Amino acid sequence: MTKPHDPLYEPHLDGQDGDLDGGPGERVAKALARAGVASRREVERLIEAGRVAINGKVLTTPAVKVAPGDFLTVDGQLVAEREPTRIFRYHKPTGLMTTHHDPKGRPTVFGALPKDLPRLISVGRLDLNSEGLLLLTNDGELSRALETPSNAWVRRYRARAFGDTTQAKLDKLKDGVTIEGVTYGAIEAKLDKAHEKAGGGKNVWITVSLSEGKNREVRKVLESIGLKVNRLIRLSYGPFALGTLAAGQIEEVGPRVIRELLEGVVSPENMPTGDRPKFAGIANPTKAPGTEGGGELQRRGAPRADRAVILDTPEKPEKPVYKPGWAKPKKKASPHGPPKGAGKGPAKGPAKVKRPAKSIESKFIDIGKPAVRGKPAAPRPGAKPADGAARRLSERPGKPTTRSGPPRGPKR
């Protein structure tokens, strides 16, 4: 006979641990992780602190299953039903802790996120002084899967360190290194460039790729070869890249990308549908939600007012101002258009007398020296007589013309 469901049933107390795996529902840690409350490890801590309850009864052990219809609460707030998996790319700036609650009261990543976002957890962490890409998701199971070294997702960083090194020293990190009893896996490091600092010393830029991501791994490994990291930027996490996100900006990954990249990682019941993300555009928060200017949605590509980029663009010249009485330039009439004034009704005032069109013969007048109006142009000394139409125009009736050669007969 099947026992009635008891949310506080603790099988490890009576040796019935196998019933926990075969009964209805799912483990409370898994349920809270899928709901995006926290990872499984953090859920166990919440249960130990007495912050998780089922149907009003506080849990004392994570070995409890949640059945359909149970009311699951954390800190007195009802945990909503799980929604499809969502992933966000966030450009974490320096000075923020990757945690929901900091005992020292320092600002956190989740306190600086925009409004109207679901409860999110991070995939891995970035320490206080590190910056760059931080993946956020509402699926705790996915977060745990992406953090597991067995998935071999490569994390790529850009590190600036003070000190001096060579590529040969960096190549030795491919074999792994043990520091203070902790063994770190293979690390691929490439020396990009070096800058001499004023007053002595040198800053080097190094691109680091690894697949484990232990606590402060890049800093500790580079310190073991004499380098002091003073800036660390995460460029990518697996197939997700930082891209053009500015510090503080967050952008949701589309459902289609999740289906293509995380098939087999995300469970089928949690796989999102559709093509467009729910969170449209890019948010650029610099303050906590609820404060003035905090968590406001920005249009894609539109800079904030406090971060506007002023370009040195030349101003457009102003239009010249003409004094009264100045002539305005006339528009050139089209040679193929109708005559000016056609189709506009009777013309006002006396009509203008049009000059007769020039004949084709006028184009052959000798232009060696302009002729005086009303008098024929005198021939130049030693010049040859005009030929053709020009000669005929110069020979007007009743006036003698200078000719060379024998005289011509009378015209017929």
Side-chain angles (χ1 to χ4, degrees):
M1 183 176 179
T2 305
K3 293 182 179 181
H5 172 67
D6 183 3
L8 297 183
Y9 173 58
E10 300 178 357
H12 67 283
L13 298 179
D14 55 7
Q16 299 181 7
D17 199 30
D19 293 343
L20 189 63
D21 296 329
E26 60 182 353
R27 292 175 179 264
V28 61
K30 184 176 182 180
L32 290 178
R34 287 188 180 276
V37 173
S39 63
R40 288 191 181 187
R41 186 179 303 175
E42 293 177 348
V43 168
E44 294 176 359
R45 296 173 184 168
L46 294 177
I47 294 175
E48 292 177 0
R51 299 168 58 184
V52 182
I54 297 180
N55 299 331
K57 298 180 180 180
V58 179
L59 300 184
T60 58
T61 174
V64 178
K65 300 190 76 172
V66 182
D70 287 340
F71 295 98
L72 182 61
T73 58
V74 177
D75 295 333
Q77 296 184 357
L78 183 65
V79 177
E81 295 182 1
R82 66 188 182 192
E83 62 176 348
T85 297
R86 300 174 67 182
I87 301 176
F88 296 81
R89 295 185 305 116
Y90 176 61
H91 188 161
K92 175 195 171 298
T94 57
L96 295 180
M97 297 292 296
T98 311
T99 181
H100 287 86
H101 304 282
D102 183 62
K104 299 181 180 180
R106 291 170 292 185
T108 66
V109 167
F110 301 100
L113 290 180
K115 299 172 293 202
D116 302 330
L117 285 183
R119 181 179 175 87
L120 301 174
I121 59 178
S122 63
V123 180
R125 295 175 181 244
L126 287 175
D127 58 40
L128 182 67
N129 297 320
S130 298
E131 56 188 302
L133 178 65
L134 182 65
L135 294 181
L136 304 174
T137 179
N138 65 336
D139 191 342
E141 285 293 301
L142 175 63
S143 173
R144 184 184 178 209
L146 299 185
E147 293 174 359
T148 305
S150 59
N151 285 328
W153 272 29
V154 177
R155 291 88 153 161
R156 191 161 57 94
Y157 298 82
R158 192 91 189 279
R160 185 183 67 189
F162 178 75
D164 194 6
T165 188
T166 61
Q167 186 61 49
K169 293 181 180 179
L170 297 176
D171 290 339
K172 294 180 180 179
L173 299 178
K174 295 181 180 179
D175 301 329
V177 60
T178 301
I179 305 172
E180 298 179 355
V182 180
T183 301
Y184 298 94
I187 295 179
E188 183 178 350
K190 179 184 177 183
L191 182 63
D192 295 329
K193 56 184 177 180
H195 294 290
E196 298 287 345
K197 291 189 66 177
K202 183 184 295 186
N203 265 338
V204 293
W205 281 97
I206 304 172
T207 301
V208 182
S209 301
L210 50 92
S211 57
E212 280 189 347
K214 293 181 179 178
N215 184 30
R216 300 176 63 87
E217 181 173 354
V218 176
R219 297 180 185 273
K220 292 179 179 179
V221 169
L222 293 183
E223 284 178 4
S224 67
I225 59 174
L227 297 176
K228 180 68 174 179
V229 177
N230 48 41
R231 189 177 182 187
L232 186 62
I233 310 169
R234 182 190 281 169
L235 302 179
S236 62
Y237 195 108
F240 301 100
L242 179 63
T244 58
L245 286 179
Q249 287 186 337
I250 184 172
E251 184 177 27
E252 184 172 4
V253 179
R256 181 184 297 179
V257 178
I258 295 177
R259 293 194 298 268
E260 293 176 355
L261 297 181
L262 300 177
E263 183 180 4
V265 181
V266 177
S267 57
E269 61 270 16
N270 284 353
M271 191 67 76
T273 58
D275 295 330
R276 296 183 180 182
K278 297 180 180 179
F279 184 79
I282 295 180
N284 188 9
T286 57
K287 299 179 182 180
T291 60
E292 184 179 357
E296 295 179 354
L297 186 66
Q298 305 294 321
R299 291 188 298 105
R300 183 182 298 273
R304 290 176 59 93
D306 56 347
R307 296 189 180 186
V309 180
I310 301 176
L311 301 177
D312 295 332
T313 54
E315 297 181 357
K316 294 183 179 181
E318 297 181 356
K319 294 183 179 180
V321 179
Y322 296 97
K323 295 182 179 180
W326 284 21
K328 296 182 180 180
K330 297 181 180 180
K331 295 182 179 180
K332 295 183 179 180
S334 174
H336 307 288
K340 187 176 181 181
K344 296 184 179 180
K348 297 180 180 181
K352 294 183 179 180
V353 180
K354 294 185 178 180
R355 296 181 180 180
K358 294 183 179 180
S359 64
I360 189 66
E361 295 179 351
S362 62
K363 297 182 180 181
F364 297 93
I365 297 176
D366 185 11
I367 58 174
K369 184 176 181 180
V372 180
R373 184 181 297 273
K375 294 182 180 181
R380 291 178 295 177
K384 295 181 180 181
D387 297 329
R391 183 179 60 188
R392 288 194 298 271
L393 289 174
S394 62
E395 296 177 357
R396 295 184 179 181
K399 292 186 179 181
T401 57
T402 304
R403 296 184 56 183
S404 60
R408 298 177 62 182
K411 295 182 180 180
R412 295 181 182 181

